[in-house]
Amino acid sequence: MAEHPAYPVGLRLTGRRVVVLGGGHVAQRRLPALIAAGADIHLVSPTVTPSVQAMAEAGELTWHQRPYEEGDLADAWYALIATGDTEANTHASAEAERHRVWCVRSDDADAATAWTPATGTSEGVTVAILTTDTKSRDPRHTAAIRDAVVEGLRDGTLVAPHHRTRTPGVALVGGGPGDPDLITVRGRRLLAEADVVITDHLGPRDLLAELPPSVEVIDAAKLPYGRFMAQEAINNALIEHAKQGKSVVRLKGGDPYVYGRGMEEVLALTEAGIPCTVVPGISSSISVPGAAGIPVTHRGVAHEFTVVSGHVAPDDERSLVDWPSLAKLRGTLVILMGVGTIGKVAATLIAHGKSPDTPVALVQEGTTAAQRRVDATLATVAETVVAEEVKPPAVIVIGEVVKVGPTTTA
Ligand SMILES: C[S@@+](CC[C@H](N)C(=O)[O-])C[C@H]1O[C@@H](n2cnc3c(N)ncnc32)[C@H](O)[C@@H]1O
């Protein structure tokens, strides 16, 4: 007899009894989805993995600490049979058949009355992939198809025709430090849905090249601002485009709230009644040192790191930074926007007690193809920056963490 394809269905298990036989790695892998579905899970097994035990202790399932017994499946709506004992599994699936309980078997798909698809979710949609028959059943193949579909939906490269989702208003998206792979999945999806992208110079510029020609890309630095401040011009552009009903992405380097003026834009948009969402990004303050082999903390070396803006020098009356106090900290100092002021910063830190030998690293254009690391000490950093022609954007790291990695030059 020809084998018929399985009939796909979504089980609504909330509050319904589901019996799981076995508490090993198969059960462990399948349980989170059953828990998420709100099933009343009864797990029967003499032993369980530590993760399954934690689920039982958290009250997410009821653990019956004993082997399978005839009758366990009587009141179940659905069963997962995954003990390490084939005989017990066969016995249990026969019982499931008698009680008309759909059952999945980890050891013998042919003997099961149900198969678990490879599943993934994206924005309110569950993608479930099943092979059509037992012969073509290959879990790695279905998982790979699932990954391709879910990743495509998440990053926006796969869009249902005639159903392009649009997020009205403005999304402030943290683009990460520069490597296009270091934007979040949500950020990338919103970018793929955008009608207008207003971008900075920092961040993942390569992603802009992937946008369809219909997307209007505006360089924030080139917005005319006449009698306004540059930031006001950006706020106005965001508001005007959003008011035209367009999906607007404000793409920023790193994280929108780390020296990114993100909240100024949120406040302006809120005042104008424009819906606004903020997508965090990987900040250069941690990721750029990391990309150059420098951890901002390290056990036994630095228990804290402090991120500071160096855009104004310590002797500038606009400075809000307490440099004398920073000189007394043992931990790591991470300075952004500090290439131009590092000479004065280093002198101030030394004057307030920091050792002139304190290691310093400057990481220029971190995570991009042009990444470059230059090492110095507090005493030498001013002349090193000039001699090595270090240019912004660069992250400056001051502290012993500079020396803990396998290499000190890149
Ligand atoms: C206006 S701040 C924005 C910071 C950003 N919001 C973040 O979270 O990374 C710009 C500064 O971030 C640092 N920066 C950002 N991206 C960088 C990169 N790829 N390499 C080195 N420094 C970077 C530089 O210090 C630069 O002057």
Side-chain angles (χ1 to χ4, degrees), residues 177-195:
D179 180 337
D181 277 358
L182 293 178
I183 190 171
T184 62
V185 171
R186 187 183 299 172
R188 195 164 182 150
R189 181 177 54 73
L190 288 168
L191 201 56
E193 292 167 13
D195 300 307

Side-chain angles (χ1 to χ4, degrees), residues 52-63:
V52 173
Q53 182 165 355
M55 294 175 207
E57 284 166 2
E60 293 173 318
L61 54 87
T62 308
W63 178 20

Side-chain angles (χ1 to χ4, degrees), residues 174-179 200 202-203 205 252-261 281-289 307-311 334-339 362-368 371-372 391-396:
D179 180 337
D200 286 334
L202 292 174
R205 273 171 294 169
K252 290 171 168 291
D255 183 273
Y257 287 153
V258 179
Y259 307 128
R261 308 190 72 164
I282 296 180
S283 176
S284 64
S285 52
I286 300 174
S287 58
V288 166
V307 181
V308 192
S309 168
H311 76 289
V334 179
I335 303 179
L336 270 57
M337 298 179 281
V339 174
L362 303 107
V363 187
Q364 185 178 325
E365 294 187 63
T367 79
T368 73
Q371 175 174 312
R372 173 179 176 232
K391 299 272 182 298
V395 171
I396 303 170

